[in-house]
Amino acid sequence: MSDNDILEMDSVSETVELDDDNTEFGMIEEEVVYPQEFLPTYETIKEGASIAKAQQAEFNNKPDSLFFNDGVRRIDFVLVYEDEDKKDFEKRHTFHRRKRRREYFEASLMKMGMELEATGSVVDEKLMFVKVHMPWEVLCTYAEVLHIKLPIQPNDLSSRPSPWRFFSCITKHFYPSEDLITKETEFFTAPFEKDRLEYFYVKDQDIFFTPSMRSRMAYYILSRAPYEVRGSIKKFGITKLLDGGVYKAAYPLHDCRFNVRSKEEGCPNERLLLYKEWAHPKSFYKMQPLDLIRKYYGEKIGIYFAWLGFYTVMLAIAAVVGLGCFIYGFKTQETSTWSKEVCDPEIGGTIVMCPQCDRECTYWRLNTTCEASKKLCIFDNFGTLVFAVFMSIWVTLFLEFWKRYQAELEYEWDTVEFLEQEEQPRPEFEAKCTHERINPVTRAKEKVPYTTCGRCVRVSLGIGTVLFWILLIVASVIAIIVYRLAVFFAFSAKLRAQDLKELEPLKEYVTPQMATSVTASIISFVVIMILNILYERVAIWITDFELPRTKTEYENSLTLKMFLFQFVNYYSSCFYIAFFKGKVVGYPGKPVYLLGKYRNEECDPGGCLTELTTQLTVIMGGKAIWNNIQEVLLPWVKNLIFRYCTRVGADKVIPRWEQDYRLQPIGKLGLFYEYLEMVIQFGFVTLFVASFPLAPVLALVNNLFEIRVDAWKITTQFRRMVPEKAQDIGAWQPILQGVAILAVATNAMIIAFTSDMIPRLVYYWSLSVYPYGDQSQNTMEGYINSTLSIFNIEDFSNYSRPLKEPYWFKNITTCRYRDFRYPPGHHRQYEYSIYYWHVIAAKLAFIIVVEHIVYLTKFVLSYMIPDVPYTVREQIKREKYLTQVILHETNLKLVTKRLKPVAEKVFEHKMEDTDKEELDLDLDF
């Protein structure tokens, strides 16, 4: 076996010598467990044996048909390939290996009991469509292998009446039409077993297994069927064949067109119902038909839309409170005492501020930031403090109530006992199983793809790569900081010197700080998008290299890598503005330099909160626009181009499988990017909400569109996804909990260190009155003057002294800067004053008190709200009881059936002994 063969494999390389030619693929030595045991219907096709081919059939001109030409066998999956015999002669040799692999693959499928029917394309004569059908026996076999839970009897427990039933005349308009989407009967379910078939609720074999179940089982077999066997080397899996171009596509069928009812008798038209009641824009105000989504697309899609809908409903509460906080700030901006002082010509107009950069910057008056200070009042007020505490409680309630709702869905969708052992290994994992180990549970030998040392090497390499890319992001953030410092000099020199008459309506807002902030935010957003594209491929490669066993483990590993990267990528600039900018700047006579060259930038006199709000708005808004372009516009344009290139006459009838082929394929990562988009948004809504109360409002509006856009996209623009089982939202749940815990700390620190709330409170309650102040009662008057320290312009160094002075700068010997330091002439001049230490102590005390109160409240709420509702626990117990009763009765019948012949033989022997005894007695007489 060569190295090339090992790398090319999409299957397991057998190391066990097969002595018997009739040995089945998957037959194993004693106490050795191979993954192939999960293919119970497979038998090896001997080398050199004739290979069965798929039955050829012409299209029967039934465009809505979901069956083979006989109208009986349902199509469970479709494979698409280009016929090599119709290729150009000079290229034909390159397709010979593909044809050989495809024919062997299809023969293997038929050997495993699946039935195939091939039909040529109506549009392109080179295309062939292979329809796959799973007979009843194969379905029963793999339903047992995959532990699919099926109904055993109707649910006899009465459901709790809805508290909204008294308002049904109103609420019914916000739910999907019951005339179109009827409520299905609830059943108790149990894992399927062929030997106990009579105990399952089988009314009709054709509908006992739903189309989504059939597709899931078909894909399981397709993922493990071999396409090439060379001695002991076996290569298998539809994924590798798709990547190698052997097949162009593989997908389950939609049941009808999304906007036209099927003409086939008995077709449920579930896709049409989903479009009308869920994906259509006119249904934006309706609740989602989650049971139908789950039935049509599987539990994994259903749980995503359930979570997204629940998150959006909870966001509505946060949005209302956030909007109220914003309105409060907007109404009170004109009454703010410190804002009035900034705008007052007699106060702010007479305060001369020191230059904010070396040489190029000049002196400026404080009242030039009048409008900016008013706008800052909208976000930096006491309402923001209340809202930040509220959001900390809200995020706890959101996560706890989601756990309860998720528990209800787990029971209703039969995923309560979806354990790790029920999830089968990935084909890629099986393909590399070459090392033996002792299973810690069963103590039997099993095959694994790596040793313990090998696993450590893979994980270490993955961690190292992730850390390298995170450091790369940090380097990009530093580069943007250097840009901000460099460009701020240019903006300061130009904007202070020019009148900006052409920007008259916006003149008050175009400050050097604002211009630097906006341009840096845009550049930061562009860098974020570029790094995302590059890192995505690296993260996938690392996760593939680690070889997780199941798909859930694969997705969780990839999720953690991607989120760590995205967390640093999206939030690093916000963390810099919130907690680092303007914190270590020194004072005008002795500024602090970055890299020994660039002077650290300062915040506006009102603080960095406005800049943080700008950064959040740019990133959130830009991200939403970019995602919608990617999710909606690109698939629609691609489908439009494909339909134009393959257009046919109106007289041609296109079959269902070819209509679906013209749609876009779903990505390999499925819903990963949808979850990632929402969790990043969740971070913006919770981590920095103290600086931007409108974040929940923007998120709510975005999500209302997001739900319908995602629904429209997967219903109309994409092929039907392969249904997958999922118990919960996976690794995203602990990530959300981690973000919620971090949000308490970040919001407390934003209020303490980024906003001016704590200095204002300290001044109001302590420093405005005796012994520190001259006021007779607590007041905010004089606050601006108290927060600005004095600097003697004679103390400027030659490198820092401004080159130009404004025309009004005459007979002025001092300027002001934002800090709490002693004035020149003081015996501790330019050192921190007592005011500074009061403020620092108050900030630290605020953080400690708020964090402990909020964390205690979160803990109490988490303890008081049970994760599983009482009614759900009752139903789970009832279902387990019924399952145990059925198993007990079945075992009794099996024991009775096995003991019956033995009992009859014992009885016969006893009768013979009795007859002999009677005969002996007669002889004695």
Side-chain angles (χ1 to χ4, degrees), residues 352 354 587-588 785 787-793 795 813-825 829-830:
V352 177
C354 297
Y587 59 94
N785 187 60
T787 59
L788 298 176
S789 300
I790 302 173
F791 180 76
N792 190 337
I793 62 175
D795 294 334
T813 59
T814 61
C815 62
R816 309 296 290 272
Y817 61 99
R818 191 172 188 269
D819 210 340
F820 304 110
R821 295 178 183 268
Y822 289 113
Q829 68 174 8
Y830 303 138

Side-chain angles (χ1 to χ4, degrees), residues 28 147 201 205 381 403 716 730 783 817:
I28 54 178
H147 303 274
Y201 197 80
Q205 288 186 0
N381 54 67
K403 288 179 186 177
T716 66
Y783 169 73
Y817 61 99

Side-chain angles (χ1 to χ4, degrees), residues 605-629:
C608 287
L609 205 65
T610 305
E611 190 171 343
L612 180 58
T613 303
T614 304
Q615 183 79 2
L616 289 170
T617 306
V618 170
I619 293 180
M620 283 188 70
K623 186 172 176 292
I625 294 170
W626 176 259
N627 286 334
N628 284 325
I629 290 174

